[in-house]
Amino acid sequence: MPDASDRLAANLAALVQTGRVRSRRVVEAREQGGVRLHVDGRDCLAFCSNDYLGLADHPEVVEAFCGAARAWGVGSGASHLISGHTAEHHALEEELADLVGRPRALLFSTGYMANLAIGATFAGRGAWVLEDRLNHASLLDAGLASGARFARYAHADVAALRERLGRRPAGAGALVMSDGVFSMDGTVAPLRELAAACAAAGAELCIDDAHGFGVLGPHGAGCVAAAGLGPEAVPLLMCTLGKAVGTFGAFVAGPAPYIENLLQRARTYIYTTALPPAVAAATRAALRVMQAEPWRRQQVLQLAQRFRAGACRLGLQPLPSGTPIQPIVLGPEAAATVASAALYERGFWVPAIRPPTVPAGSSRLRFTFSAAHSTDDIDRLLDALATLVQRGLFAGVQGT
Ligand SMILES: Cc1ncc(COP(=O)(O)O)c(C=O)c1O
């Protein structure tokens, strides 16, 4: 029998053979809201960050972080339920609940942990968890780890969801979890239809708005508010803070008894160190900037539209997204990696997204935009894409 190191070496060799080895680039410096990076000894323009509003290096956010680190120290020193829950965390929870119009909010160290907490707390043995097939891995893992009966329905197919909800035995609870904005597609879930299906079937609905919070809806309250839906329609809302808000962490917002259940029972809340208070303070500053500078939301959405229009003129058709995530599907994995490498050679960092992150045959370039980009940045990217189109790198894409 091979020993562990032989087995691990064989696992890695198998990955190399499938061409799916992942590697990291070391970012040596970043400027201009993180869109200009120094990587591998040279400069590049990045279209791969989720810092959609360019807040991660905003002077007021950085100053709030430094000031709070001086006041509170760097680490929180304990979990929330021991002694790690500071006035900064508490005020942030109140401000977040207010912003999304929910009675209470609870901070988590990451969105991944928040989703695991929701699955474990609101579903369990005997219940069903139903999820969109294209949900983020953290939601899928939450369903799998919950101990509930777990099933996925076809992407955005509310009729399929209804049918599955109707098949559950009498008395079985159900939790439906969906990305609000699908992270690899940029498209928004059919929120009104999902809410109606859940209400009709007596199921709980949880929307993960990692990519809509801060960008969509009134005051950046997210895709649920943008769809005109309130807390009755979507009782559980999970949003991350490491994307448009530019800091780190996540929160779940909902009715007080739901949030109190998470606080009392969720192991990924209870058994982990609280976020550093300086992160909470920086997040509070980022929320203030978000409100004071609504042009950031408009700017990022306009830049994404400028890119879409230019890409369509080149015969490339991004997925039908009205968000800062604009993917162009190339199909085969090699086509996406070759196009990504060719852009990188020209100084543009656009990641190739391949299985298992997306379904086989739908590998893509995933462009993400930021309010820190300029129109000139978008035009330079489009010029580079035009060169690649001429060289036939997008030959397999419909319309070219
Ligand atoms: C839709 C979605 N949900 C959850 C997460 C996880 O959030 P976090 O990075 O805070 O763990 C991400 C991305 O990271 C995401 O894209």
Side-chain angles (χ1 to χ4, degrees):
M1 192 159 108
D3 68 13
S5 59
D6 288 342
R7 217 169 351 100
L8 294 173
N11 288 349
L12 291 176
L15 264 185
V16 172
Q17 269 200 334
T18 59
R20 285 192 186 167
V21 176
R22 297 171 191 244
S23 60
R24 301 171 300 176
R25 288 187 180 132
V26 180
V27 177
E28 287 140 7
R30 47 189 239 175
E31 289 168 34
Q32 195 192 323
V35 301
R36 276 175 214 289
L37 304 179
H38 197 68
V39 194
D40 300 333
R42 61 200 182 116
D43 293 326
C44 77
L45 194 52
F47 293 93
C48 47
S49 162
N50 301 319
D51 178 14
Y52 302 123
L53 301 179
L55 292 180
D57 70 348
H58 191 287
E60 287 173 37
V61 178
V62 173
E63 193 39 51
F65 183 88
C66 295
R70 279 189 288 273
W72 295 96
V74 170
S76 62
S79 65
H80 283 276
L81 289 177
I82 301 294
S83 60
H85 188 68
T86 66
E88 289 290 354
H89 297 102
H90 207 71
L92 174 59
E93 286 184 344
E94 289 174 354
E95 287 160 12
L96 289 166
D98 208 38
L99 177 54
V100 295
R102 303 265 185 310
R104 273 188 77 182
L106 192 69
L107 281 174
F108 280 83
S109 294
T110 68
Y112 206 123
M113 293 164 81
N115 282 335
L116 291 179
I118 292 168
T121 306
F122 301 108
R125 273 207 191 91
W128 287 28
V129 175
L130 299 171
E131 299 203 22
D132 190 293
R133 189 164 285 283
L134 295 192
N135 271 356
H136 187 260
S138 60
L139 286 168
L140 299 173
D141 288 358
L144 286 165
S146 68
R149 177 163 170 192
F150 174 63
R152 296 186 293 173
Y153 55 88
H155 176 50
D157 186 342
V158 181
L161 169 64
R162 273 203 204 93
E163 192 267 324
R164 282 192 180 266
L165 282 169
R167 269 202 269 143
R168 73 192 201 277
L175 171 67
V176 175
M177 300 179 93
S178 176
D179 277 24
V181 174
F182 287 93
S183 55
M184 297 301 136
D185 290 34
T187 51
V188 178
L191 295 168
R192 292 179 152 274
E193 294 80 356
L194 286 176
C198 289
E204 300 286 359
L205 175 60
C206 168
I207 296 297
D208 171 337
D209 201 17
H211 295 276
F213 182 64
V215 176
L216 304 178
H219 315 292
C223 67
V224 172
L229 296 171
E232 3 27 79
V234 180
L236 280 164
L237 187 61
M238 198 293 290
C239 302
T240 58
L241 302 170
K243 303 189 194 302
V245 180
T247 61
F248 191 77
F251 68 97
V252 181
Y258 287 52
I259 298 303
E260 192 59 24
N261 260 272
L262 283 170
L263 187 153
Q264 298 295 338
R265 294 172 50 211
R267 296 170 71 83
T268 57
Y269 180 76
I270 299 170
Y271 298 109
T272 197
T273 301
L275 281 177
V279 171
T283 305
R284 297 181 67 200
L287 296 181
R288 287 193 291 274
V289 177
M290 237 170 80
Q291 304 311 309
E293 300 183 5
W295 63 264
R296 290 177 181 272
R297 287 195 284 287
Q298 291 147 16
Q299 163 95 346
V300 68
L301 295 175
Q302 275 166 13
L303 292 174
Q305 286 312 309
R306 186 180 185 94
F307 170 77
R308 285 187 72 76
C312 289
R313 276 196 300 276
L314 293 173
L316 307 172
Q317 186 64 61
L319 290 178
S321 154
T323 71
I325 303 169
Q326 296 289 331
I328 295 179
V329 175
L330 286 100
E333 295 179 39
T337 48
V338 167
S340 174
L343 282 169
Y344 190 63
E345 263 170 41
R346 287 166 172 74
F348 301 93
W349 187 349
V350 181
I353 308 290
R354 300 173 289 156
T357 307
V358 292
S362 73
S363 293
R364 63 199 65 187
L365 289 175
R366 178 178 181 266
F367 301 82
T368 53
F369 297 93
S370 162
H373 284 123
S374 64
T375 52
D376 185 52
D377 292 337
I378 309 303
D379 295 346
R380 284 177 49 210
L381 170 65
L382 288 167
D383 287 346
L385 277 176
T387 313
L388 301 192
V389 167
Q390 272 163 12
R391 282 185 40 198
L393 264 75
F394 290 91
V397 179
Q398 201 181 6
T400 59

